Amino acid sequence: MTGQRVRDVVRRLAVEEFGAQLIVEPIPSYQVLTRSRLDDPLAGIRSAREVQAVARRELLDFVNEARAAGRSWDEVGAALDLPDGPDDEPRGEAAFVQVIERREAMPSQDFFRVPATSWRCGSCASVVQDRGPFESHPEDNESGHASDCARQQAAVQEWRERTGWEE
Ligand SMILES: [Zn+2]
């Protein structure tokens, strides 16, 4: 339930500080359950970003407080729920890297994974793999749109006009 309470805080902040409205709608095929979403996801981004920044400062303050009180880096790592096994980086070192150097320890197999996120397109309702805005052609950035997706067709058309290229 902790996650649910933090989600409520993020949504409330989006409404009270960033001008969003909370839309409560029934979940299809459930009679009593509802779900809520924000009318403006960008307000949700601003709100979540704010909560993240504050939590980040709180984390650093509490780590310093724990160290001042004589707690070890290993205990800090345990509180962070970091793994502690023979094959792992020592937990205390991993805690320092994460909190002070602000790096996430990256498992080696992730090097070969192409970073991407996915969402259901509001235009064609297909699940789209989104690899970020790094490439020029829209289809190199987003795959999975239906072939007649109006949004993707508009993006390709915009790309043709901008670049003067056909494909
Ligand atoms: Zn689409």
Side-chain angles (χ1 to χ4, degrees):
M1 282 323 275
T2 307
Q4 184 58 53
R5 288 169 70 183
V6 177
R7 270 199 295 278
D8 288 345
V9 167
V10 171
R11 279 153 201 243
R12 204 161 59 235
L13 201 67
V15 169
E16 291 170 8
E17 300 289 332
F18 298 104
Q21 292 205 19
L22 201 60
I23 297 169
V24 180
E25 55 194 8
I27 299 177
S29 79
Y30 288 90
Q31 280 171 358
V32 287
L33 294 180
T34 58
R35 65 185 164 201
S36 67
R37 61 184 181 86
L38 298 172
D39 65 338
D40 177 10
L42 296 179
I45 292 173
R46 295 190 173 96
S47 173
R49 168 73 188 74
E50 180 69 20
V51 169
Q52 190 180 42
V54 171
R56 171 83 221 160
R57 287 194 294 274
E58 288 275 281
L59 178 63
L60 186 59
D61 286 349
F62 283 125
V63 165
N64 285 335
E65 230 178 275
R67 292 290 295 141
R71 300 298 198 157
S72 69
W73 277 107
D74 184 67
E75 287 175 293
V76 171
L80 287 169
D81 232 359
L82 295 173
D84 187 36
D87 298 331
D88 296 314
E89 181 181 12
R91 194 163 56 182
E93 293 178 18
F96 186 90
V97 165
Q98 192 178 101
V99 178
I100 307 304
E101 297 183 32
R102 298 189 64 162
R103 286 192 283 121
E104 290 289 333
M106 188 186 276
S108 54
Q109 63 265 27
D110 275 9
F111 278 124
F112 301 101
R113 233 190 71 228
V114 179
T117 188
S118 65
W119 31 262
R120 192 171 289 281
C121 175
S123 175
C124 70
S126 298
V127 174
V128 171
Q129 294 289 316
D130 182 349
R131 290 178 293 277
F134 299 102
E135 303 297 333
S136 168
H137 196 283
E139 284 168 5
D140 294 330
N141 289 324
E142 296 174 19
S143 55
H145 288 281
S147 54
D148 59 349
C149 175
R151 166 178 165 172
Q152 186 74 338
Q153 282 175 350
V156 171
Q157 185 56 35
E158 190 274 331
W159 174 86
R160 284 196 185 117
E161 285 163 14
R162 181 161 42 85
T163 61
W165 297 340
E166 270 308 300
E167 274 310 320

